[in-house]
Amino acid sequence: ITVTITDLLWKRIPNTIIASAFLWAMVLSESQTNALLGAIVGFGVMLTLYLVFRGGEGDVKLFAVLGAILGTGTTLEVIQRSFLIAAMV
């Protein structure tokens, strides 16, 4: 909720929020390896898309955290679905 509010109001996502969410995701994860791989996948895919299409930098950071929370397989699925939803809007 905090990320949504700061992004809508100020068009930025503070690194302190991202860092604390990432740390909590790593601490609470059942498998730190899967969480770290999910973060790498989320960050890598979104960074590639950012460099090609010039999206938002906050999206890259946010999907790294989502990757840490969701793990590798689910992260790719969420990226795909979020782009499909964005294309419909």
Side-chain angles (χ1 to χ4, degrees):
I1 295 173
T2 304
V3 171
T4 303
I5 293 170
T6 58
D7 193 24
L8 289 174
L9 292 177
W10 297 291
K11 303 286 187 227
R12 63 182 313 256
I13 300 173
N15 289 335
T16 53
I17 295 172
I18 295 296
S20 63
F22 179 77
L23 289 175
W24 276 109
M26 292 301 292
V27 167
L28 297 176
S29 175
E30 292 179 6
S31 168
Q32 279 76 29
T33 305
N34 191 31
L36 187 58
L37 287 174
I40 292 169
V41 167
F43 181 81
V45 170
M46 291 306 291
L47 180 63
T48 303
L49 293 172
Y50 167 75
L51 293 173
V52 172
F53 298 110
R54 298 297 301 170
E57 294 171 5
D59 296 336
V60 177
K61 298 187 294 186
L62 185 60
F63 271 95
V65 171
L66 284 174
I69 294 169
L70 300 173
T72 308
T74 309
T75 301
L76 291 173
E77 198 174 312
V78 168
I79 291 172
Q80 179 187 27
R81 290 180 185 196
S82 65
F83 274 88
L84 287 173
I85 292 169
M88 289 188 265
V89 174

Coordinates of all heavy atoms in Angstrom, one line a residue:
I1 N 0.8 -1.2 0.0 CA 0.0 0.0 0.0 C 0.9 1.2 0.0 O 0.6 2.2 -0.7 CB -1.0 0.0 1.2 CG1 -1.9 -1.2 1.1 CG2 -1.7 1.3 1.3 CD1 -2.8 -1.4 2.2
T2 N 1.9 1.2 0.8 CA 2.8 2.4 0.9 C 3.5 2.7 -0.5 O 3.6 3.8 -0.9 CB 3.9 2.2 1.9 OG1 3.3 1.9 3.2 CG2 4.8 3.4 2.1
V3 N 3.9 1.6 -1.2 CA 4.5 1.8 -2.5 C 3.5 2.4 -3.5 O 3.9 3.3 -4.2 CB 5.1 0.4 -3.0 CG1 5.5 0.5 -4.4 CG2 6.2 -0.1 -2.1
T4 N 2.3 1.9 -3.4 CA 1.3 2.5 -4.3 C 1.1 3.9 -4.1 O 1.0 4.7 -5.0 CB 0.0 1.7 -4.2 OG1 0.2 0.3 -4.4 CG2 -1.1 2.2 -5.1
I5 N 1.0 4.3 -2.8 CA 0.7 5.7 -2.5 C 1.9 6.6 -2.9 O 1.7 7.7 -3.6 CB 0.4 5.9 -1.0 CG1 -0.9 5.2 -0.7 CG2 0.4 7.3 -0.6 CD1 -1.2 5.1 0.8
T6 N 3.1 6.2 -2.6 CA 4.3 7.1 -2.9 C 4.5 7.1 -4.4 O 4.8 8.2 -5.0 CB 5.5 6.6 -2.3 OG1 5.8 5.2 -2.7 CG2 5.5 6.7 -0.8
D7 N 4.2 6.0 -5.1 CA 4.3 6.0 -6.6 C 3.3 6.9 -7.2 O 3.6 7.7 -8.1 CB 4.2 4.6 -7.1 CG 4.6 4.5 -8.6 OD1 5.4 5.3 -9.0 OD2 4.2 3.5 -9.2
L8 N 2.0 6.9 -6.7 CA 1.0 7.7 -7.3 C 1.2 9.2 -7.0 O 1.0 10.1 -7.9 CB -0.4 7.3 -6.8 CG -0.9 5.9 -7.4 CD1 -2.2 5.5 -6.7 CD2 -1.1 6.0 -8.9
L9 N 1.6 9.5 -5.8 CA 1.7 10.9 -5.4 C 3.0 11.6 -5.9 O 3.0 12.7 -6.4 CB 1.7 11.0 -3.9 CG 0.4 10.7 -3.2 CD1 0.5 10.8 -1.7 CD2 -0.7 11.7 -3.7
W10 N 4.1 10.9 -5.8 CA 5.4 11.5 -6.1 C 6.2 10.8 -7.3 O 7.3 11.2 -7.6 CB 6.3 11.5 -4.9 CG 5.7 12.3 -3.8 CD1 5.6 13.7 -3.8 CD2 5.1 11.8 -2.6 NE1 5.0 14.0 -2.6 CE2 4.7 12.9 -1.8 CE3 5.0 10.6 -2.0 CZ2 4.1 12.8 -0.6 CZ3 4.4 10.5 -0.8 CH2 3.9 11.6 -0.1
K11 N 5.6 9.8 -7.9 CA 6.2 9.1 -9.0 C 7.6 8.5 -8.7 O 8.5 8.5 -9.5 CB 6.3 10.0 -10.2 CG 5.0 10.6 -10.7 CD 4.2 9.6 -11.4 CE 3.0 10.3 -12.0 NZ 1.8 9.6 -11.7
R12 N 7.7 8.0 -7.5 CA 8.9 7.4 -7.1 C 8.7 6.4 -6.0 O 7.7 6.5 -5.2 CB 10.0 8.4 -6.6 CG 9.7 9.2 -5.4 CD 10.8 10.2 -5.1 NE 12.1 9.6 -5.1 CZ 12.8 9.3 -4.0 NH1 12.3 9.5 -2.8 NH2 14.0 8.7 -4.1
I13 N 9.5 5.4 -5.9 CA 9.4 4.4 -4.8 C 10.7 4.4 -4.0 O 11.8 4.1 -4.5 CB 9.3 3.0 -5.4 CG1 8.0 2.9 -6.2 CG2 9.2 1.9 -4.3 CD1 7.8 1.6 -7.0
P14 N 10.7 4.9 -2.8 CA 11.9 5.1 -2.0 C 12.7 3.8 -1.8 O 12.1 2.7 -1.6 CB 11.4 5.6 -0.6 CG 10.0 6.1 -0.9 CD 9.5 5.3 -2.0
N15 N 14.0 3.8 -1.9 CA 14.8 2.7 -1.7 C 14.7 2.1 -0.3 O 14.9 0.9 -0.1 CB 16.3 3.0 -2.0 CG 16.5 3.3 -3.5 OD1 15.8 2.8 -4.3 ND2 17.5 4.1 -3.8
T16 N 14.4 2.9 0.7 CA 14.3 2.4 2.1 C 13.1 1.4 2.1 O 13.2 0.4 2.8 CB 14.0 3.5 3.1 OG1 13.0 4.3 2.6 CG2 15.3 4.4 3.2
I17 N 12.0 1.7 1.4 CA 10.9 0.8 1.4 C 11.2 -0.5 0.7 O 10.9 -1.6 1.2 CB 9.6 1.4 0.8 CG1 9.2 2.6 1.6 CG2 8.5 0.4 0.6 CD1 8.1 3.4 1.0
I18 N 11.9 -0.4 -0.4 CA 12.3 -1.6 -1.2 C 13.3 -2.4 -0.4 O 13.1 -3.7 -0.4 CB 12.9 -1.1 -2.6 CG1 11.9 -0.4 -3.4 CG2 13.5 -2.3 -3.3 CD1 10.7 -1.3 -3.8
A19 N 14.3 -1.8 0.2 CA 15.3 -2.6 1.0 C 14.7 -3.3 2.1 O 15.0 -4.5 2.4 CB 16.4 -1.6 1.4
S20 N 13.8 -2.6 2.9 CA 13.2 -3.3 4.0 C 12.3 -4.4 3.6 O 12.2 -5.5 4.2 CB 12.4 -2.3 4.9 OG 11.4 -1.7 4.2
A21 N 11.5 -4.2 2.5 CA 10.6 -5.3 2.0 C 11.5 -6.5 1.5 O 11.1 -7.7 1.8 CB 9.8 -4.8 0.9
F22 N 12.6 -6.2 0.9 CA 13.5 -7.3 0.4 C 14.0 -8.1 1.6 O 14.1 -9.3 1.6 CB 14.6 -6.7 -0.5 CG 15.5 -7.8 -1.0 CD1 15.2 -8.6 -2.0 CD2 16.8 -7.9 -0.4 CE1 16.0 -9.6 -2.5 CE2 17.7 -8.9 -0.8 CZ 17.3 -9.8 -1.9
L23 N 14.5 -7.4 2.6 CA 15.1 -8.0 3.8 C 14.0 -8.9 4.5 O 14.3 -10.0 4.9 CB 15.7 -7.0 4.7 CG 16.9 -6.4 4.3 CD1 17.4 -5.3 5.2 CD2 18.0 -7.4 4.1
W24 N 12.8 -8.4 4.6 CA 11.7 -9.2 5.2 C 11.4 -10.4 4.4 O 11.1 -11.5 4.9 CB 10.5 -8.3 5.4 CG 10.5 -7.6 6.7 CD1 10.7 -6.2 6.8 CD2 10.4 -8.1 8.0 NE1 10.7 -5.9 8.2 CE2 10.5 -7.0 8.9 CE3 10.3 -9.4 8.6 CZ2 10.5 -7.2 10.3 CZ3 10.2 -9.5 9.9 CH2 10.3 -8.4 10.8
A25 N 11.4 -10.2 3.1 CA 11.1 -11.4 2.2 C 12.2 -12.4 2.4 O 11.9 -13.6 2.4 CB 11.1 -10.9 0.7
M26 N 13.4 -12.0 2.5 CA 14.5 -13.0 2.6 C 14.4 -13.7 4.0 O 14.6 -14.9 4.1 CB 15.9 -12.3 2.5 CG 16.1 -11.8 1.1 SD 16.1 -13.2 -0.2 CE 17.5 -14.1 0.3
V27 N 14.1 -13.0 5.0 CA 14.1 -13.5 6.4 C 12.9 -14.5 6.5 O 13.0 -15.6 7.1 CB 13.9 -12.4 7.4 CG1 13.6 -12.9 8.8 CG2 15.3 -11.6 7.5
L28 N 11.7 -14.1 6.0 CA 10.5 -14.9 6.1 C 10.4 -16.1 5.1 O 9.5 -16.9 5.3 CB 9.3 -14.0 6.1 CG 9.2 -13.0 7.2 CD1 8.0 -12.1 7.0 CD2 9.2 -13.6 8.6
S29 N 11.2 -16.1 4.1 CA 11.1 -17.1 3.1 C 11.5 -18.5 3.6 O 12.4 -18.6 4.4 CB 12.1 -16.8 1.9 OG 12.1 -17.8 1.0
E30 N 10.8 -19.5 3.2 CA 11.2 -20.9 3.5 C 12.5 -21.3 2.9 O 13.2 -22.1 3.4 CB 10.0 -21.8 3.1 CG 8.7 -21.6 3.9 CD 7.6 -22.5 3.4 OE1 7.9 -23.4 2.6 OE2 6.5 -22.4 3.9
S31 N 12.7 -20.8 1.7 CA 14.0 -21.1 1.0 C 14.6 -19.8 0.5 O 14.1 -19.2 -0.4 CB 13.6 -22.0 -0.2 OG 14.8 -22.1 -1.1
Q32 N 15.7 -19.4 1.2 CA 16.4 -18.2 0.8 C 17.0 -18.3 -0.6 O 17.0 -17.3 -1.3 CB 17.5 -17.9 1.8 CG 17.0 -17.2 3.1 CD 16.3 -18.2 4.0 OE1 16.6 -19.4 4.1 NE2 15.4 -17.7 4.8
T33 N 17.3 -19.5 -1.0 CA 17.8 -19.7 -2.4 C 16.8 -19.4 -3.4 O 17.0 -18.6 -4.4 CB 18.3 -21.1 -2.6 OG1 19.3 -21.4 -1.6 CG2 18.9 -21.3 -3.9
N34 N 15.6 -19.9 -3.2 CA 14.5 -19.6 -4.1 C 14.1 -18.1 -4.1 O 13.8 -17.5 -5.1 CB 13.3 -20.5 -3.8 CG 12.2 -20.4 -4.9 OD1 12.5 -20.3 -6.1 ND2 11.0 -20.6 -4.5
A35 N 14.1 -17.5 -2.9 CA 13.8 -16.1 -2.8 C 14.8 -15.3 -3.6 O 14.5 -14.3 -4.3 CB 13.7 -15.7 -1.4
L36 N 16.1 -15.6 -3.4 CA 17.2 -14.9 -4.1 C 17.1 -15.1 -5.6 O 17.2 -14.1 -6.3 CB 18.5 -15.3 -3.5 CG 19.7 -14.5 -4.0 CD1 19.6 -13.0 -3.7 CD2 21.0 -15.0 -3.4
L37 N 16.8 -16.3 -6.0 CA 16.7 -16.5 -7.5 C 15.5 -15.8 -8.0 O 15.5 -15.3 -9.1 CB 16.6 -18.0 -7.7 CG 17.9 -18.8 -7.6 CD1 17.6 -20.3 -7.8 CD2 18.9 -18.3 -8.6
G38 N 14.4 -15.8 -7.3 CA 13.2 -15.0 -7.7 C 13.5 -13.5 -7.8 O 13.0 -12.9 -8.8
A39 N 14.3 -13.0 -6.9 CA 14.6 -11.6 -7.0 C 15.5 -11.3 -8.2 O 15.3 -10.3 -8.9 CB 15.4 -11.2 -5.7
I40 N 16.4 -12.2 -8.4 CA 17.3 -12.1 -9.6 C 16.5 -12.1 -10.9 O 16.7 -11.3 -11.8 CB 18.4 -13.1 -9.6 CG1 19.4 -12.8 -8.4 CG2 19.2 -13.2 -10.9 CD1 20.4 -13.9 -8.2
V41 N 15.5 -13.1 -11.0 CA 14.7 -13.2 -12.2 C 13.8 -11.9 -12.3 O 13.8 -11.4 -13.4 CB 13.8 -14.5 -12.1 CG1 12.7 -14.4 -13.1 CG2 14.7 -15.7 -12.2
G42 N 13.2 -11.5 -11.3 CA 12.3 -10.3 -11.4 C 13.1 -9.1 -11.8 O 12.7 -8.3 -12.6
F43 N 14.3 -8.9 -11.1 CA 15.1 -7.8 -11.4 C 15.6 -7.9 -12.9 O 15.6 -6.9 -13.6 CB 16.3 -7.7 -10.5 CG 17.2 -6.5 -10.7 CD1 16.9 -5.3 -10.3 CD2 18.4 -6.7 -11.4 CE1 17.7 -4.2 -10.5 CE2 19.2 -5.6 -11.6 CZ 18.9 -4.4 -11.2
G44 N 16.1 -9.0 -13.3 CA 16.7 -9.2 -14.6 C 15.7 -9.0 -15.7 O 16.0 -8.3 -16.7
V45 N 14.6 -9.6 -15.6 CA 13.5 -9.4 -16.7 C 13.1 -8.0 -16.8 O 13.0 -7.4 -17.9 CB 12.3 -10.4 -16.4 CG1 11.2 -10.0 -17.3 CG2 12.7 -11.8 -16.5
M46 N 12.8 -7.4 -15.6 CA 12.3 -6.0 -15.7 C 13.4 -5.0 -16.1 O 13.1 -4.0 -16.8 CB 11.7 -5.6 -14.3 CG 10.5 -6.3 -14.0 SD 9.2 -6.2 -15.2 CE 8.8 -4.5 -15.1
L47 N 14.7 -5.3 -15.7 CA 15.8 -4.4 -16.1 C 15.9 -4.5 -17.7 O 16.1 -3.5 -18.3 CB 17.1 -4.8 -15.5 CG 18.3 -4.0 -15.8 CD1 18.1 -2.5 -15.4 CD2 19.6 -4.5 -15.2
T48 N 15.8 -5.7 -18.2 CA 15.9 -5.9 -19.7 C 14.8 -5.1 -20.3 O 15.0 -4.4 -21.3 CB 15.8 -7.3 -20.0 OG1 16.9 -8.0 -19.4 CG2 15.9 -7.5 -21.5
L49 N 13.6 -5.2 -19.8 CA 12.4 -4.5 -20.4 C 12.6 -3.0 -20.3 O 12.2 -2.2 -21.1 CB 11.1 -5.0 -19.8 CG 10.7 -6.4 -20.1 CD1 9.5 -6.9 -19.3 CD2 10.5 -6.6 -21.6
Y50 N 13.1 -2.6 -19.1 CA 13.3 -1.2 -18.9 C 14.4 -0.6 -19.9 O 14.2 0.5 -20.4 CB 13.8 -0.9 -17.4 CG 14.4 0.5 -17.2 CD1 13.5 1.5 -17.1 CD2 15.8 0.7 -17.1 CE1 14.0 2.8 -16.9 CE2 16.3 1.9 -16.9 CZ 15.4 3.0 -16.8 OH 15.9 4.3 -16.6
L51 N 15.4 -1.3 -20.1 CA 16.5 -0.8 -21.0 C 16.0 -0.8 -22.5 O 16.3 0.1 -23.3 CB 17.7 -1.7 -20.9 CG 18.5 -1.6 -19.6 CD1 19.6 -2.7 -19.6 CD2 19.0 -0.2 -19.4
V52 N 15.1 -1.7 -22.8 CA 14.6 -1.8 -24.2 C 13.4 -0.8 -24.4 O 13.4 0.0 -25.4 CB 14.1 -3.2 -24.6 CG1 13.4 -3.2 -25.9 CG2 15.2 -4.2 -24.6
F53 N 12.5 -0.7 -23.5 CA 11.3 0.1 -23.7 C 11.2 1.3 -22.8 O 10.2 2.1 -22.9 CB 10.0 -0.8 -23.4 CG 9.9 -1.9 -24.3 CD1 10.1 -3.2 -23.9 CD2 9.6 -1.8 -25.7 CE1 10.0 -4.3 -24.7 CE2 9.5 -2.8 -26.5 CZ 9.7 -4.1 -26.1
R54 N 12.2 1.6 -21.9 CA 12.2 2.7 -21.1 C 10.9 2.8 -20.2 O 10.2 3.8 -20.2 CB 12.4 4.0 -21.9 CG 13.6 4.1 -22.6 CD 14.9 4.1 -21.8 NE 14.9 5.2 -20.9 CZ 15.7 5.4 -19.9 NH1 16.7 4.5 -19.8 NH2 15.7 6.4 -19.1
G55 N 10.7 1.8 -19.4 CA 9.6 1.8 -18.4 C 10.0 2.6 -17.2 O 11.0 3.4 -17.2
G56 N 9.4 2.3 -16.1 CA 9.7 3.0 -14.8 C 10.8 2.2 -14.1 O 10.8 1.0 -14.0
E57 N 11.7 3.0 -13.5 CA 12.8 2.4 -12.7 C 12.2 1.7 -11.5 O 12.8 0.7 -11.0 CB 13.8 3.5 -12.4 CG 14.5 4.0 -13.5 CD 15.4 5.2 -13.2 OE1 15.5 5.6 -12.0 OE2 16.0 5.8 -14.1
G58 N 11.2 2.3 -10.9 CA 10.6 1.7 -9.7 C 10.0 0.3 -10.0 O 10.0 -0.5 -9.1
D59 N 9.6 0.1 -11.2 CA 9.1 -1.2 -11.5 C 10.1 -2.3 -11.4 O 9.9 -3.4 -11.0 CB 8.5 -1.3 -12.9 CG 7.3 -0.3 -13.1 OD1 6.6 -0.1 -12.0 OD2 7.0 0.1 -14.2
V60 N 11.4 -1.9 -11.8 CA 12.5 -2.9 -11.7 C 12.7 -3.3 -10.3 O 12.8 -4.5 -9.9 CB 13.8 -2.3 -12.4 CG1 14.9 -3.2 -12.2 CG2 13.5 -1.9 -13.8
K61 N 12.8 -2.3 -9.4 CA 13.0 -2.5 -8.0 C 11.8 -3.3 -7.4 O 12.1 -4.2 -6.6 CB 13.2 -1.2 -7.2 CG 14.4 -0.4 -7.7 CD 14.6 0.8 -6.8 CE 13.5 1.8 -6.9 NZ 13.8 3.0 -6.1
L62 N 10.6 -2.9 -7.7 CA 9.5 -3.6 -7.2 C 9.4 -5.0 -7.5 O 9.1 -5.9 -6.7 CB 8.2 -2.8 -7.6 CG 6.9 -3.3 -7.0 CD1 6.9 -3.2 -5.5 CD2 5.7 -2.5 -7.6
F63 N 9.7 -5.4 -8.8 CA 9.6 -6.8 -9.2 C 10.8 -7.6 -8.6 O 10.6 -8.8 -8.5 CB 9.6 -6.9 -10.7 CG 8.2 -6.8 -11.2 CD1 7.6 -5.7 -11.7 CD2 7.4 -8.0 -11.3 CE1 6.3 -5.6 -12.1 CE2 6.1 -8.0 -11.7 CZ 5.5 -6.8 -12.1
A64 N 11.9 -7.0 -8.3 CA 12.9 -7.7 -7.6 C 12.4 -8.1 -6.2 O 12.6 -9.3 -5.8 CB 14.2 -6.8 -7.4
V65 N 11.7 -7.2 -5.5 CA 11.1 -7.6 -4.2 C 10.0 -8.6 -4.4 O 9.9 -9.6 -3.6 CB 10.6 -6.3 -3.5 CG1 9.8 -6.7 -2.2 CG2 11.7 -5.4 -3.1
L66 N 9.1 -8.4 -5.4 CA 8.1 -9.4 -5.6 C 8.7 -10.8 -5.9 O 8.2 -11.8 -5.5 CB 7.2 -9.0 -6.8 CG 6.2 -7.9 -6.4 CD1 5.4 -7.5 -7.7 CD2 5.2 -8.4 -5.4
G67 N 9.8 -10.8 -6.7 CA 10.5 -12.1 -6.9 C 11.0 -12.7 -5.7 O 10.9 -14.0 -5.6
A68 N 11.5 -11.9 -4.8 CA 11.9 -12.5 -3.5 C 10.8 -13.1 -2.7 O 10.9 -14.1 -2.0 CB 12.7 -11.4 -2.7
I69 N 9.6 -12.5 -2.8 CA 8.5 -12.9 -2.0 C 7.9 -14.2 -2.7 O 7.5 -15.1 -2.0 CB 7.4 -11.8 -1.9 CG1 7.9 -10.7 -1.1 CG2 6.1 -12.3 -1.4 CD1 7.1 -9.4 -1.1
L70 N 7.8 -14.2 -4.0 CA 7.0 -15.2 -4.7 C 7.9 -16.4 -5.2 O 7.4 -17.5 -5.4 CB 6.3 -14.6 -6.0 CG 5.3 -13.5 -5.7 CD1 4.9 -12.8 -7.0 CD2 4.2 -14.0 -4.9
G71 N 9.2 -16.2 -5.4 CA 10.0 -17.2 -5.9 C 10.1 -17.2 -7.4 O 9.5 -16.3 -8.1
T72 N 10.9 -18.0 -8.0 CA 11.2 -17.9 -9.4 C 10.0 -18.1 -10.4 O 9.7 -17.3 -11.2 CB 12.3 -19.0 -9.8 OG1 13.4 -18.8 -8.8 CG2 12.8 -18.8 -11.2
G73 N 9.4 -19.3 -10.3 CA 8.3 -19.6 -11.3 C 7.1 -18.6 -11.2 O 6.7 -18.2 -12.2
T74 N 6.7 -18.3 -10.0 CA 5.6 -17.4 -9.9 C 5.9 -16.0 -10.3 O 5.0 -15.3 -10.9 CB 5.1 -17.4 -8.4 OG1 4.9 -18.7 -8.0 CG2 3.8 -16.7 -8.3
T75 N 7.1 -15.6 -10.2 CA 7.5 -14.2 -10.6 C 7.4 -14.0 -12.1 O 6.8 -13.0 -12.5 CB 9.0 -14.0 -10.2 OG1 9.1 -14.1 -8.8 CG2 9.5 -12.6 -10.6
L76 N 7.8 -15.0 -12.9 CA 7.6 -14.9 -14.3 C 6.1 -14.9 -14.7 O 5.7 -14.1 -15.6 CB 8.3 -16.1 -15.0 CG 9.8 -16.1 -15.0 CD1 10.3 -17.4 -15.5 CD2 10.4 -14.9 -15.7
E77 N 5.3 -15.6 -14.0 CA 3.9 -15.6 -14.3 C 3.3 -14.3 -13.9 O 2.4 -13.7 -14.7 CB 3.2 -16.7 -13.4 CG 1.9 -17.1 -13.8 CD 1.4 -18.3 -13.0 OE1 2.1 -19.3 -12.8 OE2 0.2 -18.2 -12.5
V78 N 3.7 -13.7 -12.8 CA 3.2 -12.4 -12.4 C 3.6 -11.3 -13.4 O 2.8 -10.4 -13.7 CB 3.6 -12.0 -11.0 CG1 3.3 -10.6 -10.6 CG2 2.9 -12.9 -10.0
I79 N 4.8 -11.3 -13.9 CA 5.3 -10.3 -14.9 C 4.4 -10.5 -16.1 O 4.0 -9.5 -16.7 CB 6.8 -10.5 -15.2 CG1 7.6 -10.2 -14.0 CG2 7.2 -9.7 -16.4 CD1 9.1 -10.5 -14.1
Q80 N 4.2 -11.7 -16.6 CA 3.4 -11.9 -17.8 C 2.0 -11.4 -17.6 O 1.5 -10.6 -18.5 CB 3.4 -13.4 -18.1 CG 2.6 -13.7 -19.4 CD 2.4 -15.2 -19.6 OE1 2.5 -16.0 -18.6 NE2 2.2 -15.6 -20.8
R81 N 1.4 -11.7 -16.5 CA 0.0 -11.2 -16.3 C -0.1 -9.7 -16.1 O -1.1 -9.1 -16.5 CB -0.6 -12.0 -15.1 CG -0.8 -13.4 -15.4 CD -1.4 -14.2 -14.2 NE -1.5 -15.6 -14.6 CZ -2.3 -16.4 -13.9 NH1 -2.9 -16.0 -12.9 NH2 -2.3 -17.7 -14.3
S82 N 0.9 -9.1 -15.5 CA 0.8 -7.7 -15.3 C 0.9 -7.0 -16.6 O 0.3 -5.9 -16.8 CB 1.9 -7.2 -14.3 OG 3.2 -7.4 -14.8
F83 N 1.7 -7.5 -17.5 CA 1.8 -6.8 -18.8 C 0.6 -7.1 -19.6 O 0.2 -6.2 -20.4 CB 3.1 -7.3 -19.6 CG 4.3 -6.6 -19.2 CD1 5.1 -6.9 -18.1 CD2 4.7 -5.4 -19.9 CE1 6.2 -6.2 -17.8 CE2 5.8 -4.7 -19.6 CZ 6.6 -5.1 -18.6
L84 N 0.0 -8.2 -19.5 CA -1.3 -8.4 -20.2 C -2.4 -7.5 -19.7 O -3.2 -6.9 -20.5 CB -1.8 -9.9 -20.0 CG -1.0 -10.9 -20.8 CD1 -1.4 -12.4 -20.4 CD2 -1.2 -10.7 -22.3
I85 N -2.5 -7.3 -18.4 CA -3.5 -6.4 -17.8 C -3.2 -5.0 -18.2 O -4.1 -4.2 -18.6 CB -3.5 -6.5 -16.3 CG1 -4.1 -7.9 -15.9 CG2 -4.3 -5.4 -15.6 CD1 -3.9 -8.3 -14.4
A86 N -1.9 -4.6 -18.2 CA -1.5 -3.2 -18.6 C -1.9 -3.0 -20.1 O -2.2 -1.9 -20.5 CB 0.0 -3.0 -18.4
A87 N -1.7 -4.0 -20.9 CA -2.1 -3.9 -22.3 C -3.6 -3.7 -22.5 O -4.0 -3.0 -23.5 CB -1.6 -5.1 -23.1
M88 N -4.4 -4.2 -21.6 CA -5.8 -4.1 -21.8 C -6.3 -2.7 -21.3 O -7.4 -2.3 -21.7 CB -6.5 -5.2 -21.0 CG -6.4 -6.5 -21.6 SD -7.5 -7.7 -20.8 CE -6.3 -8.5 -19.7
V89 N -5.5 -2.1 -20.4 CA -6.0 -0.8 -19.8 C -5.7 0.4 -20.8 O -5.0 0.6 -21.5 CB -5.3 -0.6 -18.5 CG1 -5.6 0.8 -17.9 CG2 -5.7 -1.6 -17.5

